[in-house]
Amino acid sequence: MRSRYTAYVMGDEKYLKRTWHPSTRPVSLGLDQNPRPQWKDLKIVNTSEGSALDREGSVEFIARYKINGRAGKLHENSHFVQENGCWYYFDAKDGQ
């Protein structure tokens, strides 16, 4: 989760696509929007499963950002799956 957050901060679309499960990966991530969010911080709220022995896991997080000086936050429960020893972002639900 932290590496994907960092990729969003850096605008690293290649990394985000590489770590997104092919069955749910969008064609475009919209990282070229203007103005771009200025990501401020990431707080991991909760994790479930996701160890090396698990096939799935989830991360609840809150990421704070600013756009045009206005603060916002993304509260999400991200679902990850492990295939062939690699973890992939699969999908997400809004946070609680």
Side-chain angles (χ1 to χ4, degrees):
M1 184 66 241
R2 287 181 178 90
S3 68
R4 287 181 55 81
Y5 171 78
T6 300
Y8 273 103
V9 170
M10 303 299 291
D12 189 348
E13 188 166 334
K14 284 184 179 181
Y15 179 82
L16 291 166
K17 284 184 172 182
R18 192 169 61 247
T19 59
W20 202 309
H21 195 273
S23 70
T24 60
R25 181 187 316 136
V27 173
S28 173
L29 302 181
L31 296 184
D32 56 354
Q33 76 183 48
N34 192 12
R36 285 185 52 193
Q38 296 175 323
W39 296 100
K40 298 299 182 184
D41 61 42
L42 173 69
K43 177 183 176 186
I44 304 296
V45 177
N46 192 23
T47 62
S48 176
E49 299 177 324
S51 75
L53 301 176
D54 292 320
R55 305 268 302 142
E56 298 184 11
S58 64
V59 178
E60 179 183 359
F61 70 90
I62 298 171
R64 294 183 319 121
Y65 61 87
K66 281 191 176 182
I67 295 181
N68 287 331
R70 296 187 58 155
K73 70 178 180 177
L74 173 63
H75 187 179
E76 185 175 289
N77 287 295
S78 293
H79 177 222
F80 293 85
V81 295
Q82 184 179 188
E83 292 182 359
N84 302 317
C86 296
W87 283 98
Y88 297 96
Y89 171 81
F90 193 79
D91 63 7
K93 295 178 183 168
D94 288 339
Q96 303 302 331

